[in-house]
Amino acid sequence: MSPPPSSAAPAELAVLIADSNGMQAQLLTSALRRRSEFRVSTCAIDAPSILQAVASTPAKVIILSLNRSLSIASQFATMRRVHLSHPAVVKILLVESYDRELVVNAFRSGVRGIFCVSDTHFRLLCRCIERVAGGQIWANSEQMSFLLDLVSEVPSLRVLNTRGHSLLTPREEQVVALVAEGLSNRGTARELNLSEHTVKKYLFRIFDKLGISSRVELVLYAVNNGAPLRAEWLVGASSSNSDS
């Protein structure tokens, strides 16, 4: 005789809301707590607070509510730090609006889903949480197109001076990125649809701007100056841009 089916309730999904806006966090927490499938906790949207919250009350999902009044770069740095510390905890970015750069940097920082609160229903947020917790990616068709476009485009490494100003043109940044990835002059020329002679001219110009004299120095410069800005990589300009 087979045993009767179990009547045990499914385990609650632990959700941590990281939000600098107290009222918004309170409203979102109250709404989610009305759903029996979630166990919700909250904290401020800074790395120490999030890491402490995860350590004290392990979460399956972290919802990070982006605050436009604060530094976007610092919030992405927080996401990256949390992701590196807890890669198994999935992250959802809650936004009121988005653009291409925000979407790209969000996914580079470890986010697995972007949810726009301005044009979608709360019930859909619940579905987003459940889907992402189950290992899926939550992104609409426009956000996916941003990511797919990025994969097919030539990378570009932003090189900044101490004041945060770009030292190189978009095309020169593309050359630096490809050289740093180990491509030869011929490979770089083929990738950018240029002649080897033109690539050499770009390299001499880059050497002069950065005060270096060899490809080895250029690779080391790119590693030393590019690594802290890994989440800030940009798509380079099209080949029609002029660098003269």
Side-chain angles (χ1 to χ4, degrees), residues 143-199:
Q143 293 162 7
M144 287 301 299
S145 70
F146 292 156
L147 300 177
L148 292 173
D149 287 346
L150 186 68
V151 171
S152 64
E153 291 174 330
V154 177
S156 177
L157 181 60
R158 178 183 288 175
V159 180
L160 306 176
N161 62 17
T162 55
R163 295 183 178 180
H165 298 149
S166 182
L167 293 173
L168 306 177
T169 67
R171 179 61 91 192
E172 289 168 349
E173 290 175 343
Q174 289 181 325
V175 172
V176 172
L178 294 173
V179 170
E181 289 181 359
L183 271 68
S184 64
N185 285 359
R186 178 177 296 179
T188 300
R190 183 169 55 249
E191 192 75 24
L192 298 177
N193 196 26
L194 301 172
S195 69
E196 286 188 62
H197 177 69
T198 300
V199 170

Side-chain angles (χ1 to χ4, degrees), residues 210-230:
L210 301 183
I212 57 179
S213 57
S214 70
R215 293 173 67 92
V216 173
E217 287 182 89
L218 179 58
V219 171
L220 292 174
Y221 190 99
V223 170
N224 290 331
N225 292 273
L229 297 172
R230 186 173 298 276

